[in-house]
Amino acid sequence: MDLIKLRSKFEELYGKGSAQTFFSPSRINIIGEHIDYNGGKVLPGAIEIGTYGIVRKRNDTRVLLSSENIDLKIEVDLSDLEYEPNHGWGNYPKGVLYFMKEYGHKIGGMEVLIKGNIPNGAGLSSSASVELLIAEMINVLYNKGEIPTVELVKIGQKAENDFVGVKCGIMDQFAIGMGKKDKAILLDTNNLEYKYINMELKDHIIVIMNTNKRRELSDSKYNERRKECEEALDIIKEYIEVDNLCDLSTSDFEEFKNYLIKDNIRNRAEHVVYENHRVNIATKALIEGDILKLGGLLIESHNSLRDLYDVTGVELDQIVDSANEFQHCIGARMTGAGFGGCAIAIVKSDKVDEFIQYVGNDYKNRIGYEAEFYVTGIGDGTREI
Ligand code: GLA
Protein backbone atom coordinates (compact mmCIF):
# COMPACT_ATOMS: atom_id res chain seq x y z
CA MET A 1 0.00 0.00 0.00
CA ASP A 2 1.33 3.42 -0.94
CA LEU A 3 0.78 5.22 2.34
CA ILE A 4 2.41 8.45 1.16
CA LYS A 5 -0.14 8.71 -1.59
CA LEU A 6 -2.96 7.87 0.79
CA ARG A 7 -1.70 10.53 3.16
CA SER A 8 -1.68 13.20 0.47
CA LYS A 9 -5.17 12.15 -0.59
CA PHE A 10 -6.21 12.59 3.04
CA GLU A 11 -4.75 16.11 3.10
CA GLU A 12 -6.46 16.93 -0.18
CA LEU A 13 -9.77 15.92 1.38
CA TYR A 14 -9.44 17.29 4.88
CA GLY A 15 -6.53 19.75 4.83
CA LYS A 16 -2.99 19.60 6.14
CA GLY A 17 -2.03 18.78 9.71
CA SER A 18 -1.13 15.81 11.84
CA ALA A 19 -2.98 12.52 11.41
CA GLN A 20 -2.62 8.90 12.52
CA THR A 21 -2.46 5.77 10.37
CA PHE A 22 -3.98 2.39 11.22
CA PHE A 23 -4.13 -1.03 9.63
CA SER A 24 -6.77 -3.68 10.12
CA PRO A 25 -6.31 -7.09 8.48
CA SER A 26 -8.74 -9.35 6.70
CA ARG A 27 -8.98 -12.98 7.69
CA ILE A 28 -9.07 -16.48 6.38
CA ASN A 29 -10.62 -19.37 8.20
CA ILE A 30 -8.58 -22.54 7.94
CA ILE A 31 -11.40 -24.75 9.15
CA GLY A 32 -14.55 -24.57 11.28
CA GLU A 33 -17.09 -22.99 8.96
CA HIS A 34 -20.56 -21.84 9.94
CA ILE A 35 -20.14 -23.07 13.47
CA ASP A 36 -19.18 -19.88 15.28
CA TYR A 37 -22.88 -19.19 15.85
CA ASN A 38 -23.39 -22.75 17.08
CA GLY A 39 -20.90 -22.63 19.94
CA GLY A 40 -18.22 -24.44 17.95
CA LYS A 41 -14.47 -24.13 17.66
CA VAL A 42 -12.97 -22.30 14.71
CA LEU A 43 -9.43 -21.93 13.40
CA PRO A 44 -9.03 -18.59 11.60
CA GLY A 45 -6.05 -16.30 11.17
CA ALA A 46 -5.57 -12.63 10.28
CA ILE A 47 -3.79 -12.02 6.97
CA GLU A 48 -1.34 -9.39 5.80
CA ILE A 49 -3.79 -7.69 3.50
CA GLY A 50 -6.72 -5.64 4.72
CA THR A 51 -7.79 -2.05 5.28
CA TYR A 52 -5.60 0.98 5.90
CA GLY A 53 -7.06 4.10 7.45
CA ILE A 54 -5.90 7.62 8.22
CA VAL A 55 -7.67 9.58 10.89
CA ARG A 56 -7.65 12.98 12.55
CA LYS A 57 -9.60 14.18 15.56
CA ARG A 58 -12.11 16.99 15.17
CA ASN A 59 -13.13 19.38 17.88
CA ASP A 60 -16.81 19.09 17.05
CA THR A 61 -19.24 16.17 16.77
CA ARG A 62 -18.97 15.60 13.03
CA VAL A 63 -17.66 12.35 11.57
CA LEU A 64 -16.46 12.50 7.97
CA LEU A 65 -15.89 9.20 6.20
CA SER A 66 -14.31 8.63 2.84
CA SER A 67 -13.05 5.51 1.05
CA GLU A 68 -10.67 5.08 -1.87
CA ASN A 69 -12.48 1.87 -2.85
CA ILE A 70 -16.06 3.05 -2.86
CA ASP A 71 -17.16 6.37 -4.25
CA LEU A 72 -19.40 7.36 -1.37
CA LYS A 73 -18.54 10.01 1.17
CA ILE A 74 -20.55 10.15 4.35
CA GLU A 75 -20.87 12.91 6.89
CA VAL A 76 -22.74 12.28 10.11
CA ASP A 77 -23.20 13.87 13.48
CA LEU A 78 -22.62 11.87 16.64
CA SER A 79 -26.09 12.85 17.79
CA ASP A 80 -27.61 11.13 14.77
CA LEU A 81 -26.23 7.60 14.51
CA GLU A 82 -29.08 5.80 12.76
CA TYR A 83 -28.79 3.07 10.17
CA GLU A 84 -29.34 4.52 6.71
CA PRO A 85 -29.46 2.27 3.65
CA ASN A 86 -27.98 5.00 1.43
CA HIS A 87 -24.97 5.33 3.73
CA GLY A 88 -23.68 2.00 2.38
CA TRP A 89 -20.30 1.08 3.87
CA GLY A 90 -20.57 4.04 6.25
CA ASN A 91 -23.04 2.04 8.31
CA TYR A 92 -20.19 -0.10 9.67
CA PRO A 93 -18.32 2.85 11.22
CA LYS A 94 -21.62 4.34 12.33
CA GLY A 95 -22.58 1.08 14.03
CA VAL A 96 -19.23 0.94 15.78
CA LEU A 97 -19.57 4.53 17.01
CA TYR A 98 -23.10 3.79 18.17
CA PHE A 99 -22.11 0.75 20.23
CA MET A 100 -18.86 2.29 21.52
CA LYS A 101 -21.08 4.89 23.14
CA GLU A 102 -23.67 2.34 24.28
CA TYR A 103 -20.91 0.33 25.97
CA GLY A 104 -19.83 3.40 27.90
CA HIS A 105 -16.75 4.46 25.93
CA LYS A 106 -15.85 7.95 24.77
CA ILE A 107 -16.43 8.90 21.16
CA GLY A 108 -15.78 12.13 19.30
CA GLY A 109 -15.63 13.82 15.93
CA MET A 110 -13.12 12.65 13.34
CA GLU A 111 -12.06 12.68 9.71
CA VAL A 112 -11.32 9.31 8.18
CA LEU A 113 -10.01 8.06 4.85
CA ILE A 114 -9.74 4.32 4.29
CA LYS A 115 -8.32 2.15 1.55
CA GLY A 116 -8.42 -1.62 1.38
CA ASN A 117 -6.20 -3.86 -0.70
CA ILE A 118 -8.72 -6.65 -1.00
CA PRO A 119 -11.93 -6.36 -2.96
CA ASN A 120 -15.09 -5.86 -0.91
CA GLY A 121 -17.38 -8.85 -0.94
CA ALA A 122 -14.50 -11.28 -1.52
CA GLY A 123 -15.46 -13.19 1.60
CA LEU A 124 -12.33 -12.22 3.51
CA SER A 125 -14.37 -10.09 5.83
CA SER A 126 -13.71 -6.58 4.68
CA SER A 127 -16.64 -5.45 6.83
CA ALA A 128 -15.17 -6.79 10.08
CA SER A 129 -11.84 -5.31 9.00
CA VAL A 130 -13.44 -1.85 8.77
CA GLU A 131 -15.31 -2.32 12.05
CA LEU A 132 -12.14 -3.12 13.98
CA LEU A 133 -10.23 -0.35 12.20
CA ILE A 134 -12.72 2.27 13.35
CA ALA A 135 -13.03 0.73 16.82
CA GLU A 136 -9.26 0.86 17.31
CA MET A 137 -9.13 4.45 16.01
CA ILE A 138 -11.71 5.51 18.59
CA ASN A 139 -9.86 3.51 21.23
CA VAL A 140 -6.59 5.32 20.53
CA LEU A 141 -8.00 8.78 19.83
CA TYR A 142 -10.57 9.00 22.59
CA ASN A 143 -9.90 6.25 25.14
CA LYS A 144 -6.10 6.32 25.55
CA GLY A 145 -5.95 2.89 23.92
CA GLU A 146 -7.20 1.35 27.16
CA ILE A 147 -10.17 -0.64 25.88
CA PRO A 148 -9.27 -4.35 25.77
CA THR A 149 -9.20 -5.74 22.23
CA VAL A 150 -11.78 -8.41 23.05
CA GLU A 151 -14.21 -5.62 23.96
CA LEU A 152 -13.58 -3.96 20.57
CA VAL A 153 -14.17 -7.34 18.95
CA LYS A 154 -17.56 -7.63 20.68
CA ILE A 155 -18.49 -4.10 19.67
CA GLY A 156 -17.62 -4.90 16.04
CA GLN A 157 -19.86 -7.96 16.09
CA LYS A 158 -22.64 -6.04 17.80
CA ALA A 159 -22.46 -3.33 15.11
CA GLU A 160 -22.79 -5.96 12.41
CA ASN A 161 -25.57 -7.89 14.19
CA ASP A 162 -27.75 -5.11 15.48
CA PHE A 163 -26.90 -2.07 13.37
CA VAL A 164 -26.26 -3.52 9.92
CA GLY A 165 -28.46 -6.57 10.54
CA VAL A 166 -26.19 -9.48 9.59
CA LYS A 167 -26.40 -12.07 12.34
CA CYS A 168 -22.76 -13.13 12.03
CA GLY A 169 -20.86 -14.98 14.72
CA ILE A 170 -17.76 -13.58 16.39
CA MET A 171 -15.06 -15.37 14.38
CA ASP A 172 -14.19 -12.61 11.91
CA GLN A 173 -13.96 -9.77 14.38
CA PHE A 174 -12.00 -11.97 16.78
CA ALA A 175 -9.50 -13.13 14.16
CA ILE A 176 -9.00 -9.57 12.93
CA GLY A 177 -8.67 -7.95 16.33
CA MET A 178 -6.61 -10.70 17.99
CA GLY A 179 -4.54 -11.88 15.01
CA LYS A 180 -0.87 -12.78 15.56
CA LYS A 181 1.88 -13.19 13.01
CA ASP A 182 2.30 -16.80 11.84
CA LYS A 183 -0.37 -18.08 14.23
CA ALA A 184 -3.80 -19.51 13.68
CA ILE A 185 -6.27 -18.87 16.48
CA LEU A 186 -8.14 -21.80 17.94
CA LEU A 187 -11.20 -20.03 19.29
CA ASP A 188 -13.94 -21.65 21.30
CA THR A 189 -16.91 -19.48 20.32
CA ASN A 190 -18.90 -20.79 23.26
CA ASN A 191 -16.77 -19.08 25.91
CA LEU A 192 -14.21 -17.09 23.87
CA GLU A 193 -11.30 -19.09 25.24
CA TYR A 194 -8.54 -19.15 22.65
CA LYS A 195 -5.10 -20.49 21.92
CA TYR A 196 -2.54 -19.47 19.32
CA ILE A 197 -1.38 -22.37 17.16
CA ASN A 198 1.81 -22.17 15.08
CA MET A 199 0.90 -21.95 11.42
CA GLU A 200 3.74 -24.18 10.31
CA LEU A 201 3.06 -25.85 6.96
CA LYS A 202 6.62 -27.01 6.26
CA ASP A 203 7.28 -26.62 2.53
CA HIS A 204 3.66 -25.65 1.78
CA ILE A 205 1.83 -22.36 1.90
CA ILE A 206 -1.74 -21.12 1.73
CA VAL A 207 -2.97 -19.61 -1.50
CA ILE A 208 -6.18 -17.57 -1.40
CA MET A 209 -8.34 -17.97 -4.49
CA ASN A 210 -10.98 -15.36 -5.23
CA THR A 211 -13.80 -16.64 -7.46
CA ASN A 212 -14.72 -13.03 -8.23
CA LYS A 213 -18.30 -14.08 -7.78
CA ARG A 214 -19.94 -11.43 -5.64
CA ARG A 215 -21.67 -12.75 -2.58
CA GLU A 216 -25.11 -11.63 -3.71
CA LEU A 217 -28.01 -12.31 -1.38
CA SER A 218 -25.46 -13.80 0.96
CA ASP A 219 -26.68 -11.89 3.99
CA SER A 220 -30.21 -13.18 3.76
CA LYS A 221 -29.07 -16.73 3.06
CA TYR A 222 -26.64 -16.47 5.97
CA ASN A 223 -29.43 -15.44 8.32
CA GLU A 224 -31.54 -18.30 6.92
CA ARG A 225 -28.83 -20.86 7.79
CA ARG A 226 -28.71 -19.47 11.28
CA LYS A 227 -32.46 -19.94 11.66
CA GLU A 228 -32.22 -23.50 10.38
CA CYS A 229 -29.61 -24.27 13.03
CA GLU A 230 -31.85 -22.78 15.70
CA GLU A 231 -34.69 -24.97 14.49
CA ALA A 232 -32.49 -28.08 14.71
CA LEU A 233 -31.34 -27.10 18.20
CA ASP A 234 -34.91 -26.57 19.44
CA ILE A 235 -35.85 -30.08 18.33
CA ILE A 236 -32.72 -31.74 19.71
CA LYS A 237 -33.18 -29.99 23.06
CA GLU A 238 -36.35 -31.98 23.62
CA TYR A 239 -34.23 -35.12 23.83
CA ILE A 240 -30.87 -34.12 25.27
CA GLU A 241 -29.67 -31.24 27.42
CA VAL A 242 -27.49 -29.01 25.28
CA ASP A 243 -27.04 -25.26 24.84
CA ASN A 244 -25.57 -25.34 21.35
CA LEU A 245 -25.50 -27.73 18.42
CA CYS A 246 -21.76 -28.04 18.93
CA ASP A 247 -22.33 -29.51 22.40
CA LEU A 248 -23.36 -32.67 20.55
CA SER A 249 -20.69 -35.25 19.87
CA THR A 250 -20.86 -37.06 16.56
CA SER A 251 -22.29 -40.10 18.31
CA ASP A 252 -24.95 -37.95 20.03
CA PHE A 253 -25.86 -36.67 16.61
CA GLU A 254 -26.16 -40.16 15.16
CA GLU A 255 -28.37 -41.14 18.08
CA PHE A 256 -30.75 -38.20 17.76
CA LYS A 257 -30.63 -37.32 14.10
CA ASN A 258 -33.83 -39.14 13.21
CA TYR A 259 -35.80 -36.65 15.25
CA LEU A 260 -34.76 -34.08 12.69
CA ILE A 261 -37.37 -35.02 10.15
CA LYS A 262 -36.84 -32.26 7.59
CA ASP A 263 -33.87 -33.06 5.33
CA ASN A 264 -32.49 -29.54 5.24
CA ILE A 265 -32.59 -29.18 9.03
CA ARG A 266 -30.91 -32.55 9.58
CA ASN A 267 -28.25 -31.77 6.98
CA ARG A 268 -27.40 -28.41 8.51
CA ALA A 269 -27.01 -29.97 11.94
CA GLU A 270 -24.92 -32.82 10.56
CA HIS A 271 -22.52 -30.35 8.97
CA VAL A 272 -22.23 -28.35 12.18
CA VAL A 273 -21.52 -31.32 14.45
CA TYR A 274 -19.01 -32.98 12.12
CA GLU A 275 -17.30 -29.70 11.20
CA ASN A 276 -16.72 -28.99 14.87
CA HIS A 277 -15.22 -32.46 15.21
CA ARG A 278 -12.98 -31.79 12.19
CA VAL A 279 -11.61 -28.64 13.84
CA ASN A 280 -10.31 -30.70 16.75
CA ILE A 281 -8.60 -33.20 14.46
CA ALA A 282 -7.26 -30.45 12.20
CA THR A 283 -5.74 -28.58 15.13
CA LYS A 284 -4.00 -31.73 16.27
CA ALA A 285 -2.76 -32.36 12.73
CA LEU A 286 -1.40 -28.79 12.52
CA ILE A 287 0.37 -29.10 15.85
CA GLU A 288 1.87 -32.43 14.84
CA GLY A 289 2.87 -31.15 11.42
CA ASP A 290 0.67 -33.70 9.67
CA ILE A 291 -0.25 -31.42 6.80
CA LEU A 292 -1.51 -34.21 4.56
CA LYS A 293 -4.14 -34.94 7.15
CA LEU A 294 -4.96 -31.24 7.40
CA GLY A 295 -5.37 -31.09 3.62
CA GLY A 296 -7.76 -34.05 3.68
CA LEU A 297 -9.87 -32.35 6.34
CA LEU A 298 -10.11 -29.19 4.23
CA ILE A 299 -11.53 -31.29 1.41
CA GLU A 300 -14.04 -32.98 3.73
CA SER A 301 -15.07 -29.59 5.08
CA HIS A 302 -15.75 -28.24 1.61
CA ASN A 303 -17.76 -31.30 0.62
CA SER A 304 -19.88 -30.92 3.71
CA LEU A 305 -20.45 -27.20 3.07
CA ARG A 306 -21.47 -28.09 -0.49
CA ASP A 307 -23.65 -31.13 0.14
CA LEU A 308 -25.07 -30.59 3.62
CA TYR A 309 -24.88 -26.88 4.32
CA ASP A 310 -25.52 -25.70 0.76
CA VAL A 311 -23.43 -22.53 0.84
CA THR A 312 -20.87 -23.08 -1.92
CA GLY A 313 -22.26 -22.59 -5.44
CA VAL A 314 -20.77 -23.45 -8.85
CA GLU A 315 -17.92 -20.96 -8.72
CA LEU A 316 -16.54 -22.02 -5.35
CA ASP A 317 -17.02 -25.69 -6.22
CA GLN A 318 -15.18 -25.20 -9.49
CA ILE A 319 -12.22 -23.35 -8.05
CA VAL A 320 -11.87 -25.93 -5.29
CA ASP A 321 -12.15 -28.82 -7.78
CA SER A 322 -9.54 -27.23 -10.05
CA ALA A 323 -7.24 -26.73 -7.06
CA ASN A 324 -7.67 -30.29 -5.84
CA GLU A 325 -6.86 -31.62 -9.31
CA PHE A 326 -3.43 -30.00 -9.15
CA GLN A 327 -0.89 -32.54 -8.05
CA HIS A 328 0.89 -30.36 -5.51
CA CYS A 329 -2.20 -29.08 -3.77
CA ILE A 330 -2.99 -31.15 -0.71
CA GLY A 331 -6.41 -29.68 0.02
CA ALA A 332 -8.69 -26.76 -0.71
CA ARG A 333 -11.99 -25.43 0.53
CA MET A 334 -14.17 -22.34 0.59
CA THR A 335 -13.44 -19.94 3.43
CA GLY A 336 -15.87 -17.60 5.18
CA ALA A 337 -19.60 -17.39 4.60
CA GLY A 338 -19.57 -18.91 1.10
CA PHE A 339 -22.08 -18.14 -1.69
CA GLY A 340 -19.13 -16.86 -3.75
CA GLY A 341 -16.08 -15.10 -2.42
CA CYS A 342 -12.83 -16.91 -1.65
CA ALA A 343 -11.41 -20.36 -1.13
CA ILE A 344 -8.04 -21.39 0.27
CA ALA A 345 -5.63 -24.09 -0.89
CA ILE A 346 -2.55 -25.62 0.72
CA VAL A 347 0.04 -25.76 -2.04
CA LYS A 348 3.70 -26.80 -2.27
CA SER A 349 5.66 -23.53 -2.00
CA ASP A 350 7.81 -24.03 -5.08
CA LYS A 351 4.78 -24.94 -7.24
CA VAL A 352 2.66 -21.89 -6.48
CA ASP A 353 3.19 -20.19 -9.86
CA GLU A 354 2.25 -23.36 -11.71
CA PHE A 355 -0.73 -23.81 -9.42
CA ILE A 356 -2.02 -20.30 -10.08
CA GLN A 357 -1.63 -20.79 -13.80
CA TYR A 358 -3.36 -24.16 -13.80
CA VAL A 359 -6.29 -23.18 -11.59
CA GLY A 360 -6.59 -19.76 -13.24
CA ASN A 361 -6.90 -21.27 -16.72
CA ASP A 362 -9.18 -24.11 -15.72
CA TYR A 363 -11.48 -21.76 -13.82
CA LYS A 364 -11.65 -19.24 -16.65
CA ASN A 365 -12.39 -21.96 -19.23
CA ARG A 366 -15.22 -23.39 -17.20
CA ILE A 367 -16.73 -20.32 -15.53
CA GLY A 368 -16.04 -17.71 -18.20
CA TYR A 369 -14.25 -15.06 -16.16
CA GLU A 370 -11.00 -14.72 -14.29
CA ALA A 371 -10.24 -15.75 -10.74
CA GLU A 372 -7.69 -13.88 -8.63
CA PHE A 373 -5.02 -15.26 -6.33
CA TYR A 374 -3.33 -13.84 -3.26
CA VAL A 375 -0.32 -15.26 -1.51
CA THR A 376 -0.06 -13.58 1.83
CA GLY A 377 1.19 -14.49 5.26
CA ILE A 378 -0.71 -14.79 8.51
CA GLY A 379 -0.26 -11.46 10.26
CA ASP A 380 -0.96 -9.35 13.32
CA GLY A 381 -4.31 -7.90 14.31
CA THR A 382 -5.66 -4.34 14.01
CA ARG A 383 -3.16 -1.68 15.11
CA GLU A 384 -1.80 1.82 14.70
CA ILE A 385 1.16 1.84 12.33
C1 GLA B 1 -19.07 -15.09 8.03
C2 GLA B 1 -19.43 -14.65 9.44
C3 GLA B 1 -18.69 -15.47 10.49
C4 GLA B 1 -18.84 -16.96 10.23
C5 GLA B 1 -18.54 -17.29 8.76
C6 GLA B 1 -18.86 -18.72 8.44
O1 GLA B 1 -17.74 -14.80 7.75
O2 GLA B 1 -19.15 -13.29 9.63
O3 GLA B 1 -19.15 -15.13 11.78
O4 GLA B 1 -20.11 -17.41 10.60
O5 GLA B 1 -19.29 -16.47 7.87
O6 GLA B 1 -18.04 -19.57 9.16
Side-chain angles (χ1 to χ4, degrees):
M1 177 68 60
D2 187 345
L3 288 176
I4 295 177
K5 208 162 151 201
L6 193 61
R7 187 63 181 250
S8 66
K9 188 76 212 213
F10 180 89
E11 292 190 341
E12 234 173 75
L13 275 169
Y14 303 120
K16 289 205 185 313
S18 64
Q20 285 162 277
T21 306
F22 289 74
F23 172 71
S24 187
S26 286
R27 66 93 189 91
I28 52 168
N29 185 20
I30 295 152
I31 196 161
E33 214 66 88
H34 282 280
I35 59 174
D36 66 338
Y37 49 88
N38 287 301
K41 286 192 188 138
V42 294
L43 193 65
I47 53 178
E48 285 169 338
I49 45 181
T51 320
Y52 291 81
I54 303 187
V55 63
R56 178 188 293 152
K57 249 183 178 178
R58 282 176 68 95
N59 294 327
D60 59 12
T61 52
R62 309 296 292 168
V63 176
L64 277 52
L65 302 163
S66 190
S67 160
E68 285 281 273
N69 303 84
I70 301 172
D71 192 17
L72 174 65
K73 292 188 180 37
I74 300 117
E75 188 174 339
V76 291
D77 194 89
L78 293 176
S79 61
D80 182 24
L81 294 173
E82 293 275 315
Y83 179 85
E84 290 227 17
N86 62 351
H87 278 178
W89 73 274
N91 284 304
Y92 297 105
K94 282 173 71 181
V96 169
L97 282 157
Y98 182 89
F99 283 108
M100 278 289 217
K101 191 167 165 208
E102 281 280 303
Y103 281 44
H105 304 300
K106 293 200 186 98
I107 58 172
M110 50 190 196
E111 291 155 352
V112 181
L113 172 65
I114 68 167
K115 182 169 186 176
N117 51 8
I118 40 145
N120 305 309
L124 301 175
S125 211
S126 50
S127 61
S129 178
V130 169
E131 287 154 14
L132 268 292
L133 181 81
I134 301 292
E136 181 60 12
M137 285 174 170
I138 302 167
N139 184 25
V140 171
L141 260 53
Y142 287 106
N143 296 274
K144 300 187 197 137
E146 284 171 357
I147 308 172
T149 306
V150 174
E151 169 95 351
L152 303 178
V153 163
K154 288 181 185 161
I155 288 170
Q157 185 199 18
K158 189 85 181 152
E160 183 120 9
N161 285 177
D162 296 338
F163 199 88
V164 179
V166 179
K167 299 293 175 194
C168 66
I170 201 160
M171 172 174 79
D172 299 351
Q173 288 80 6
F174 200 96
I176 287 167
M178 302 291 289
K180 234 190 203 0
K181 186 154 179 50
D182 298 328
K183 310 274 182 198
I185 309 173
L186 176 65
L187 170 68
D188 186 334
T189 60
N190 194 26
N191 52 21
L192 296 194
E193 279 174 17
Y194 64 97
K195 237 194 265 170
Y196 290 109
I197 311 281
N198 278 337
M199 201 52 212
E200 179 45 72
L201 298 175
K202 296 183 179 160
D203 50 354
H204 286 70
I205 55 170
I206 288 186
V207 178
I208 302 173
M209 312 181 284
N210 185 354
T211 60
N212 274 326
K213 153 99 166 99
R214 298 274 312 176
R215 299 189 302 115
E216 285 141 17
L217 284 178
S218 61
D219 295 350
S220 59
K221 284 193 196 154
Y222 184 92
N223 289 348
E224 180 186 298
R225 289 295 170 279
R226 231 188 134 131
K227 279 217 186 78
E228 289 169 327
C229 289
E230 280 160 19
E231 191 174 331
L233 180 63
D234 283 344
I235 298 169
I236 294 277
K237 269 181 167 173
E238 291 172 27
Y239 304 96
I240 177 172
E241 218 185 293
V242 284
D243 294 326
N244 294 300
L245 280 182
C246 289
D247 292 342
L248 295 169
S249 66
T250 52
S251 52
D252 289 338
F253 176 77
E254 293 303 325
E255 189 179 336
F256 297 107
K257 70 177 180 191
N258 289 335
Y259 296 116
L260 301 171
I261 295 162
K262 288 194 220 155
D263 286 345
N264 64 325
I265 301 297
R266 189 176 55 254
N267 288 342
R268 307 303 184 241
E270 180 170 345
H271 164 76
V272 166
V273 172
Y274 279 85
E275 181 77 354
N276 192 41
H277 180 62
R278 276 189 288 273
V279 174
N280 290 326
I281 318 176
T283 305
K284 194 160 171 271
L286 188 57
I287 292 169
E288 289 170 356
D290 190 349
I291 56 166
L292 275 180
K293 176 131 199 189
L294 181 66
L297 290 160
L298 259 55
I299 296 173
E300 276 180 35
S301 169
H302 185 88
N303 293 346
S304 175
L305 288 155
R306 180 191 61 210
D307 301 337
L308 298 174
Y309 217 70
D310 196 15
V311 290
T312 57
V314 281
E315 297 82 3
L316 276 169
D317 289 340
Q318 183 56 57
I319 212 155
V320 163
D321 282 352
S322 306
N324 284 329
E325 268 166 30
F326 185 78
Q327 195 193 348
H328 302 284
C329 168
I330 58 170
R333 66 172 209 88
M334 58 157 267
T335 193
F339 317 105
C342 284
I344 55 168
I346 303 179
V347 184
K348 189 107 188 287
S349 312
D350 59 1
K351 302 287 180 200
V352 166
D353 292 344
E354 267 175 62
F355 172 81
I356 291 176
Q357 203 173 16
Y358 177 82
V359 178
N361 284 339
D362 200 39
Y363 183 81
K364 172 131 200 249
N365 288 341
R366 290 167 195 266
I367 298 294
Y369 52 82
E370 307 265 354
E372 264 172 304
F373 299 86
Y374 321 111
V375 179
T376 160
I378 303 287
D380 287 321
T382 308
R383 61 201 181 266
E384 186 175 359
I385 52 175

